[in-house]
Structure formats: structure tokens, C-alpha cells
Amino acid sequence: MIEIRDLYKTFDTGGKEDVVQALNGISLDINESQVFGLIGTNGSGKSTMMRIAAGIYRPDSGSVSIDGREAFDNLEAKKNVFFIADEPYYHTNATPELMKNYYSDIYENFDKQRFDRLLDDFNLKLNRRIATFSKGMKKQLAVIIGVCAGTKYLMMDETFDGLDPVMRQAVKSLFANDMETRGLTPIIASHNLRELEDICENIGLLHKGGVLMSQNIEDIKLGIQKIQCVFANDGDEQKILSGVDVMLNEKRGKLHTLTIRGRREDVMAHFNGFEMTFFEMLPLTLEEAFISETEVVGYDVKKLIAG
Amino acid sequence: MTSKSSSLDKFIKFQTNILRERMWQLVVVSFLFLIYYIGGSATAVFFIKTNYTDKNMQQSLLEATHIVFSGGISAPALVCMAVASALLGFCYLYNKQKVDFYEAQPIKRSFRWWNIFLSGIYIVVIPHIVIKLIGFVFMSVIGAVNQFLFWGMITSTLKALILYTAVYAVTTLAAMICGNVIIAIMGTVVLLWWYDDLKLVFTGFADQMYATYVGDIFTSNRFNITYSLNPIMNYAQDYQGEWQHKVLNVVIAIVATLLAYFIFTKRKNEMTGMAIAFKPLRTPLKVALATTWTLNVTWLYLMSVDGRRSVGTVAFMIAVIVVNSIIVSLILEAILSFNIRACLRNFSNVGIVAMLSLIVYLGMYYDVLGYDRYVPNSAKVESYGLCRSAGFNYLDNEGNNSLSQLEYVGYNMKLTDKDAMTKLASIATANTLDLKKSGKLVNGYETTFLYRLANGKTVARQLIIPYNIDAAIMDQIVGSEEYKDGYFPHRNDGTFLKYYKDKQEICYSYCGKEKRIKNDVADKYEQLKAAYDKDLEKYSYTLMKNGTPIGSVTLEGSKKENYESRNYYADSTDIEFPVYEGYDNTIAFLKENDIWIDNSFSTEGIKKVKVTMIDHDSENVYGLDLGEWEYDYDEDGYLGPGETSIEYTEKDKIAEIMDNVYQSYGMRNWSQPDADGHDYYVYVYYDKGSKPSVQENESDELEEDNDEYNNDYYREDDSVSFDFKAGQVPSFVIKDLNN
């Protein structure tokens, strides 16, 4: 498990605003064997948080512990972590084979055979210079290396953003397999909610260095209901809605689209007690759930959805 | 597997990976060494075997071996390699992608750092040693090596590799402080040269503002071995094989390495790209750099005002310092931010820079620390030296003709009459300060005082002994055996006799004429020395002030080419014995050996005589250095301010003048102007074809009208210069010049 407690991090820009507060007291837990999505706009602190967890940056205060060990410059902690940056680096004139040999010297559990197989599956040449790969291919290679490194945690900073849908699906299968066989915990940072929706189990939403929410996706969806209805009488709206926790209420003519916090059964039971001209419960997408949660705090999450 | 073997395993694996990444550097470095050591040797051998005869070949081969394997040619290349190696090894710290890549790996930061550091050393050192050894073996196989060259090669290799490691460590330190490669290169230059630059600036300031400052920081100051915090300077100054410079470079290497590592442990990876990686260091470094830069520029302006002391000068310099502080701070800020618009950031630094620079300037201008007032307590002094320009050749221990008089005095003159010296130093210091204050022309004997302190240090001051000094004090000092031991080169002739054994001759010369002893020179020399030392019993300040030189005797010798020592080049030099009227024993020696030259002057053929008078009290003269005058032209050459000239063509006047002169290339070391503060110079012009021949006896070296620059007898305008004997300026000359 990765435990993040009261994490603060500032950057000195050397400019007029000398100090930028990248992380503002973040606390977060990332459980094992679950895909964790870290979402936020540019400048929200996702990459900073990831780099602290990967042991690249040292926090100003607070702690990041990986299975009970401090992350920074800790050999035992870092053996369990593989970090893929948004722009992965490879040695000059390196080939996948050279990188395989390099990483196998560093990560004890690196699976060379699996690497060769995956490379083949993904149609990448073992002895081709990586400098001639496209951006997407480089990211694919990075993911393959990360999976074959055999670490418990695989951190990817905006790696998915560069993969095509077919590749994304293939990677998801990889993750699923490794999560089941060896308890891999992928942690994916992205600024695109739609990309993460069907792969992540848990989501953490960062904004201006803080955590807006961190929850299981299903729990998010289970706890919010979307209803379209038409009230029989004009005065019924206030009476009926006063008994529920309404997050959003959009009105078009007499048609109300309501987002209500609460379990499905409870909300159904409440509305069943009243006469309605029209009532329907609709499935809620993750983005709708997010919009609801975040607009409440005045944050425009549509930027994330647009990607 | 034991943990020890697994650590070794890990180390080897890691080094293998590093070597794989740095293979191209290893190849380039090896290639360069191959070209230099193998290619250079082979080329030299080929050239020598093709162009030299058997007689010269062996020596030339030895010389070639010395140049290639013991010379300092490889040093600049090693310095460049050291800088490149350090920056290439640690350049990953300047690239965000690389930082993410390396720092995310499960490798201890300290492990990575030390391994990279080590690799940067062996990547150059190992090929250097191996290829150099191969080249040396090649030269020894063809017989171009001897024992001395072997040890020379060993010591020069050790010295060069210490230099490499020290520069490498300093560059690594710069790389840790800075956040990008361009600033790191600049930082390396600063770290290497700041000490010497500041030393240069401060000595430049001292030279301009302290009247008693003794300059020449670049000449070998072997009785105060000069050290630097720059390993390159220590390397350059280690030409006598002293161990101190090598040890200092080792210390620099160790300290720089430890500092670099410490800074690395505190360095934040997110500082990639910033000019200076540590915020706490930023302002102090900027202020220090800007102040140093301002002081450098101030020094240039100081040289332009040329030692002038006035309210106007001070005001001008203050303005220069303030304006430069602003400009320098702005430029530095822009450079370190890579943004011209950032130059106005941190403008408050300007105030600190200006203040520090002004403190230095004004502090030295007003001599706050009392530099010019310094006269040490005699209890703290072991012995003294007194140096006034002699014009002798002085040899170092290796027989090189490169020792300055000051160094010779430093080694050999140990005056122990503390009372007399302290009294003299106090009078001279007070006189110097008076002159400095008044801005008047030097009016006294410019003399360097050496104080050999009990703590081992030697301090030097240039003081002006007033002309009206009590002759008794001066006679006591100048007439002492201690003074003579540190003044006359024949008193320490061991080195000359050891190295200059070839082609020895004794030569007496006067007025461009010379006569020689070519046989039994060794015996004759001992006789000459004995006679001369007998005459030196009369040697004193009073004699030198009033006496008349009548030429000089020299023992000349040449150095044989000899590869058994460190000196590989033939040379020649001499030991000089200036002769004065009254040196009866020496004169007797000259006459007995038939090399005496008559010292009377004929007036035959003299066209005109010009007498120039210098008025030392002239108001047109400023500063303390005669060399700073601006000259006007007259038809015969230059006339400085305070100078007047008159010419005589009347035979009787010419005759009276010639009765009272002596040929002026002799040394009257303590001569002074007459009571009215005048110096006189006499220039004699001859009718065409009447100029006396330069040689009386046979010589294949000198001819009439020979090269004036090698013959003091003739000046550029073909006149012959003389001085008046002390107190014997004809009254008509004085009267004419004062009118």
C-alpha cells in the first residue's frame, strides 16, 4: 500500500512568483492490486505527487511510504516501484534489447523472455533504434518494460494519453493479468477522465495541489443518482425535493434533470411516495458523477472531460 | 553469495553499464593519447633519424623523449578532458527526462554518484597511463631513454594526473552547484580562477595605491612559494619539483570532491535547468561574482588614472564603481536567468556590490590597514635584506640565468644588525609616505626591504631612502659582509662553477674596449676573487655614492649540453666584478695579466657634447615613478618634464667636461643628484669617422658600429654617454643650465 500523508511540495521558479505551491497537504491511500487513477488538470500536482512517490523528488514535508518504507532514496522501497515518465528517456542509440539488458541489471525480477514475447505481440523490433520509434511506440515500449520489470507498483505519468484505443485495450489486459497473477498495482495519472473510466477502480482527483476527492468509482456511482421528472403540480417541486440531497437541478420547461446524492433504493422510495407526471432513473456516467461532485465546490471539471 | 561479493557484483555491473554509456568518451580519449604519445614519438624519431647526424642524434632523441613524455604539453589537454569528463558524467542532472529516468531506479543516489565520479577519472587516467607507457617502452627500445628521463616521466605523469583529478573534482563541484551545462562551464572557470583573479586584482590595486608595494606576482617568488587554489596554477608553478604544490592539488581534489558530494545530497532534482541550483547560495554567489567583476573593471580604470591622488580622482573612481556595480549586476542577473528582461530582478544586490567594491577601493586608497606604514618590530624579524638594482646575472640552483636580484638577496643577504635596519626602515618608510602624500617625484634611493620574519614568512616593501640619509647608518649596513654576501654574485659562485665550465674567459671591459685572459682561467679567477675581496674591505655606501667606476671584470662561461640534469639547452653567462678607482688590488691583477685598459678619454674627434640636467623638484612631474612621464621631442631625442639640455662645441669646454666624467655603464649604485637635486647626463657626439673603435684586442664578436643594443657604449643616436664624477660638474655647465 502507498500511504501519502500531509504532503507539501513547493517549487522555486526563480521568477516573480518565486515559489509555486505544487502540493498543499495531500493525503491519499493507494491500495494494492487495484488500478488507481490520478486525475487533474495541468498544474494540479499529479506529476509532482507521482515523482515524490517514485522517489525522484523529496517532499518539503509530509510522507510517502511504500509498504511502510519511505520512498526517497530507499532501495527496498524503490525495488517495488517502476516509474514511467510522460516522456520516457532511453539511452542514445539504444535498442529495445539494450534497454532490456540495462533494466535486467537493475530490477532483479525483470522477465527477459516475457519482454521478448510482448515486444513481438506489440509489433516492436528488438534491434531497431528507439530513436526511430514514434512517440506512441516509445510509450508502448515503456509500458512493456514496466510490466516486465516485475515490480509491485507501476506508476505511469500521462502514459495512456499517447496510446491508441487498441493499444490501450491490450495494456488493460496486461494489467488485468498481472494484477491477478502477481498483485500488480498500476497507478495512472491522466488529465483525461474518459481514458481512465473503464480501467480504473479508484480515482483521486487533484486540484491546485489538493485532493478534491478520492474514491472507488463504483462507490461514486452508487452514491449518486440521476433522475428526470416532471412534477404534477407547480408547488410539488419544493415539497418533494426538500426530502432529498439535491446536488444539481437542471430545468428545461417542466422537465427537471436532477442529480441526487443517495442510494438508488432510498431515492426511489422517496419519489414513489409522490404523484409525478413523469419519472425516470437514468444511468450515471463517471463524468456526470464528477461534474456533480466538483461543481458543488465550484470547480469546472468539464476541462478534464474534454481532455 | 556473500553480501561482499554481491556488492562487488553490483559495482561491476554498474560500472559496465556506465562504461557502455561512456564508451565513446573512452574511445576519443584513447585516440587522442595514441596520436600524442605514439604518433608524436614516432614522428619525432622519424624526423630526427632523417635530419640529424649520428653525433647529434642521441641527444636529440633524448630531448624528444623529454618533450613528449615529461613536458607539459599534455597538461592543457588533460584540463579540457577533466572538465568535459565531469560535465558529461553528471549532465543527467541538467535534463528532466534523464533525472526521471535515473532517479526513479532502485539505486542509491550515493552509489550512483560515486560510481559516476570514479568512472570520470579512470576513463582518462587508465588510457593515459597505458598508452604513455607503451610509447615510453617504444622510445626505450630505440635507446632514447635514460634513468633521469624515466624518473622524469614518472614524476610528470604523477603531477599531470593529480592536476587532472583536481580539475575534475572542481568541475564536479561546479556541476553540483549549477543547474545547466552552460552555467556549469562558467562556474568551473570561476571556481578555478577566482582566487588568482582576486589576487591579481588586489595586487593591481596595491600596485596603484600602495607606495611601498613590491610587485611581480608572476615571477618566481621562490622564498615565498606561491600557492593557489587553482590546481592549474599550482601545476604551472611546480617546476622545481616541490612537493607542496602536488600536495595542495591533492587537497583541492579531496575537498572539492567532498563538497561536491555534500551539495549533491542536498541538491533538489527539480532544480534542473536553474542557473544556480541552491537558493541559499544564489544571492551570495551573485554578489560575490558581481563584486569581483566590478573590482576587475575598477582596476582597469585605476590604471588609467595612473596613481594620481586627488579629490577629483577619488570622486571619479567612486562614480566608476557605482556605475559598474549597476551594469555588472544587471548583466549577471540577465545571464543567470537566461533572460534579458530579468536583469532588473534582485536590484537590491547592486547596493551590496557597490558597497563592497567601495570598501575595497577606499580602504586601500586611504591605507586603512596600514600597509605603507608597516615596519615590523625587530623582535619579530630574524634577518633583513636590502635590494637596490645592481644589473648582475644571478643563477638559480639549477644554473638557470633566471634569478631576480630580489630573489638572490632573499636567499643570500641576511643582515642581522637589527638596530640599524629598523632605524633605516623607519626613516625610509616615513620618507616614502611623505612623497606619496605630496605626489612629488622620487627623491631618494628606491630600495626593496626584505623582512625575514620569525614565523617563516618574508615580507617585502619598496621604500625610498632619502638622499640626506645619515651616511654612517648606510656605511654600517652596506659595508657589512652580510650585505656583500647577498649582493655580489661571486660570493655564491658554486652554481656557476658547476654548470658553466665550458669556454671560460676573464674579460676586462671599459668604454667599449675589452681585453681577455683565455688561459689558466680557473687559477686566475681565484686570484681575481682574492684581490677583489681585499678591495671590498673598502666597500661602503660612501664609496658607492662618491666613487668613480672604471669598468668591470667578468668571468664568462658556457654550459655544456647535458642531459644528466634537468637542463637540456646550452647557455652562457658571467660573473661580474665592477671596478672602482681605488681598487688597487684588482687593478694590480689586471695590470699583471695584461688586460688593463687606460681610463682616460681623448677629446680628439669630438663634434659636440650635450649635457642634460634633470630637475627632480620640477612641478611638472607627478607620481612616484619616473617611467610614467610623458615625453616631448627635441631634435636629439626626448626631453621629459623637468629636463633641460645644453650643447657645447668649444674645445676648451669639451676638454674640461671630459676631464670630469666617467663612462656611465658602470654601477654607482648609491649615486644621487647634486645638493640642488639635479642629475646630469653627458652625451658625446663624434665627427664622422672619429668615433673610437670598440675593440682594442682581437675578437670575432664585436666590430665598429656594431649592434647598439648589445653594446652599452653606443646609444641609438650614436652618441656615447657619460656621467660626471661625484661633485665634479663644471661650474659653467651648472650656470648655463640654470639660466
Side-chain angles (χ1 to χ4, degrees), chain B residues 557-738:
Chain B
S558 292
K559 203 194 299 177
K560 196 175 169 183
E561 283 182 16
N562 181 6
Y563 292 91
E564 296 297 312
S565 74
R566 286 182 223 198
N567 298 294
Y568 299 99
Y569 305 102
D571 207 350
S572 59
T573 189
D574 57 50
I575 295 179
E576 191 169 349
F577 300 80
V579 184
Y580 282 76
E581 282 178 355
Y583 276 24
D584 302 326
N585 297 285
T586 307
I587 292 168
F589 169 85
L590 297 172
K591 285 179 177 172
E592 271 163 30
N593 289 279
D594 207 26
I595 57 170
W596 168 250
I597 297 168
D598 179 29
N599 57 19
S600 61
F601 300 106
S602 165
T603 57
E604 201 178 310
I606 294 178
K607 184 171 70 174
K608 68 175 179 180
V609 169
K610 183 171 92 167
V611 181
T612 300
M613 178 186 80
I614 300 167
D615 181 0
H616 289 281
D617 288 330
S618 168
E619 284 176 2
N620 292 329
V621 176
Y622 61 84
L624 295 179
D625 189 341
L626 284 168
E628 305 304 324
W629 290 0
E630 291 176 15
Y631 289 90
D632 291 326
Y633 292 91
D634 73 1
E635 58 178 14
D636 289 317
Y638 305 119
L639 264 184
E643 286 189 357
T644 8
S645 281
I646 190 161
E647 291 180 2
Y648 295 100
T649 52
E650 302 87 335
K651 291 269 183 246
D652 57 330
K653 288 186 176 171
I654 288 174
E656 189 174 344
I657 289 170
M658 295 309 290
D659 275 343
N660 290 289
V661 296
Y662 68 94
Q663 205 271 323
S664 61
Y665 84 105
M667 281 159 278
R668 200 153 62 94
N669 213 15
W670 297 101
S671 65
Q672 55 177 260
D674 67 12
D676 292 326
H678 299 132
D679 260 331
Y680 299 89
Y681 299 105
V682 180
Y683 305 105
V684 178
Y685 297 82
Y686 288 88
D687 291 323
K688 200 173 176 182
S690 299
K691 201 162 58 180
S693 66
V694 174
Q695 289 293 88
E696 268 199 7
N697 66 348
E698 195 180 314
S699 163
D700 59 355
E701 288 169 7
L702 290 175
E703 297 171 356
E704 198 173 330
D705 291 329
N706 69 339
D707 181 1
E708 294 93 4
Y709 301 107
N710 285 329
N711 184 352
D712 292 334
Y713 190 60
Y714 293 116
R715 287 159 33 90
E716 266 184 49
D717 57 4
D718 214 26
S719 63
V720 181
S721 65
F722 292 85
D723 284 334
F724 282 115
K725 294 177 185 175
Q728 291 181 255
V729 182
S731 55
F732 69 88
V733 171
I734 297 173
K735 188 176 157 207
D736 291 342
L737 283 170
N738 283 300

Side-chain angles (χ1 to χ4, degrees), chain B residues 274-286:
Chain B
M274 308 274 311
I276 297 170
F278 292 98
K279 199 171 178 188
L281 271 185
R282 241 174 250 157
T283 300
L285 274 176
K286 282 181 189 174

Side-chain angles (χ1 to χ4, degrees), chain A residues 9-15 18-19 51 54-58 60 72-73 75 78-79 81 83 85-89 91 98-99 102-103 105-107, chain B residues 10 13-14 17 20-21 95-110 112 264-271 274 279 282 337 345:
Chain A
K9 181 67 184 170
T10 54
F11 289 109
D12 172 22
T13 62
D18 266 346
V19 160
R51 279 170 173 77
I56 297 169
Y57 294 166
R58 202 180 342 219
D60 293 345
F72 187 77
D73 203 20
L75 209 56
K78 283 168 117 176
K79 275 180 185 173
V81 177
F83 174 74
D86 46 348
E87 290 179 37
Y89 170 79
H91 295 320
L98 282 173
M99 295 311 299
Y102 178 82
Y103 276 110
D105 285 339
I106 294 171
Y107 291 94
Chain B
K10 215 167 142 188
K13 263 191 195 161
F14 197 80
N17 276 325
R20 213 178 278 144
E21 286 179 60
N95 180 301
K96 187 174 165 293
Q97 271 183 294
K98 289 183 185 177
V99 166
D100 287 343
F101 176 75
Y102 287 108
E103 293 286 302
Q105 293 170 13
I107 293 171
K108 289 289 279 178
R109 297 178 84 231
S110 56
R112 181 185 301 283
F264 170 75
T265 60
K266 300 296 173 197
R267 179 195 172 97
K268 295 182 180 178
N269 286 327
E270 57 267 27
M271 290 302 178
M274 308 274 311
K279 199 171 178 188
R282 241 174 250 157
S337 304
R345 218 182 276 163

